[in-house]
Amino acid sequence: MNDFTRRLGKTICFLLGTFLAGCVQDVSHAAEKQPWFLGFGAPDYMEVWIETADVVDIRERVFRRAGSGIASVQNPVEHKGNPAGWPENPGSGKGKYVTGADLPRLVYVRWQSLAEPQTYEAYIVIPESAREIMRKPEKAFCNFGSEWVTESRKNLVIGLAPGGIAKVWLTGTCLKAIEIARIVGTVNKKGPYQGKNEGRYALPLEPESRAYVEKFGIPYGSW
């Protein structure tokens, strides 16, 4: 922004008079915004299709379909994966930055558990303590860069598992993940795509996943 544009913006705010407070407030909110990433993962072989992930930020704005599509999952060949439990330090998963949003207050997720198959939904309330973690910069050593960096845990990662389990972590590029919530979602009785797809699910299981589930079943209760 050049000097002329900046001076013009200030003049407009001044001339509007009664809207001056509004101009100042918008600047304040803009200063508080912190970009954050919404990612999704699933245990080995337990493939997930996310119909929608809608976000409500702390300013009560709704960002529909902030996330959708397939969650990050590993399908090791020859049954060498282990879907039971969660990794000690999960990655950021598959997702994207929630453009224009302030920090999250609520995330609604509706997803298809393809291994069962079943459709679930969950309302995930993000506590203020979690947002404080997202705001707080910390020093961390990055192995891949062999250097110390300062960053915040601005990656909100949601693990989705059979049985409607949703587990939530905060992590950064180099900071270890911190668990902030575990939610048991509910079955969406309308089925996949709110009943608009004649009961058909988004994708068939990958061959490795199908072979694992047929041989070993689903480790319910481990998540």
Side-chain angles (χ1 to χ4, degrees):
M1 181 184 292
N2 59 37
D3 261 355
F4 174 77
T5 305
R6 191 178 296 108
R7 290 198 301 271
L8 180 60
K10 290 181 179 179
T11 303
I12 290 173
C13 275
F14 177 80
L15 293 176
L16 285 174
T18 56
F19 295 102
L20 179 59
C23 292
V24 173
Q25 185 180 23
D26 284 345
V27 172
S28 173
H29 279 309
E32 292 173 2
K33 280 186 182 178
Q34 300 186 52
W36 59 279
F37 181 87
L38 178 63
F40 294 90
D44 290 357
Y45 309 111
M46 303 293 119
E47 297 173 36
V48 165
W49 179 266
I50 300 147
E51 292 186 359
T52 187
D54 304 332
V55 169
V56 181
D57 74 3
I58 56 175
R59 295 169 60 185
E60 299 301 328
R61 297 177 303 168
V62 179
F63 295 79
R64 299 199 182 279
R65 290 183 65 80
S68 61
I70 197 162
S72 176
V73 66
Q74 299 294 320
N75 302 314
V77 297
E78 299 178 356
H79 311 313
K80 291 182 178 179
N82 180 16
W86 298 103
E88 182 178 347
N89 189 39
S92 298
K94 185 177 291 185
K96 62 183 178 181
Y97 283 91
V98 187
T99 305
D102 213 316
L103 295 180
R105 183 183 71 77
L106 175 74
V107 181
Y108 165 77
V109 188
R110 188 174 67 251
W111 75 98
Q112 300 173 16
S113 175
L114 301 177
E116 297 178 87
Q118 187 63 270
T119 304
Y120 298 100
E121 60 186 350
Y123 292 86
I124 303 168
V125 176
I126 309 300
E128 176 58 26
S129 58
R131 289 188 288 275
E132 285 300 319
I133 293 172
M134 295 179 80
R135 295 183 183 105
K136 181 183 177 182
E138 295 184 33
K139 284 188 175 181
F141 185 77
C142 279
N143 291 324
F144 60 84
S146 298
E147 60 180 350
W148 286 90
V149 299
T150 299
E151 65 168 354
S152 300
R153 290 179 175 85
K154 294 181 182 177
N155 298 340
L156 183 71
V157 186
I158 301 177
L160 300 171
I165 305 302
K167 202 161 190 179
V168 189
W169 299 267
L170 290 173
T171 187
T173 304
C174 304
L175 290 167
K176 289 186 177 180
I178 295 176
E179 180 184 334
I180 63 167
R182 180 184 182 274
I183 307 295
V184 181
T186 58
V187 172
N188 185 301
K189 295 181 180 179
K190 293 181 180 179
Y193 299 110
Q194 299 286 64
K196 298 177 181 178
N197 199 32
E198 300 178 347
R200 294 191 299 269
Y201 283 78
L203 297 168
L205 281 176
E206 292 291 330
E208 294 83 0
S209 296
R210 181 172 298 281
Y212 185 95
V213 171
E214 288 176 351
K215 184 171 183 177
F216 299 103
I218 296 173
Y220 290 106
S222 66
W223 300 297

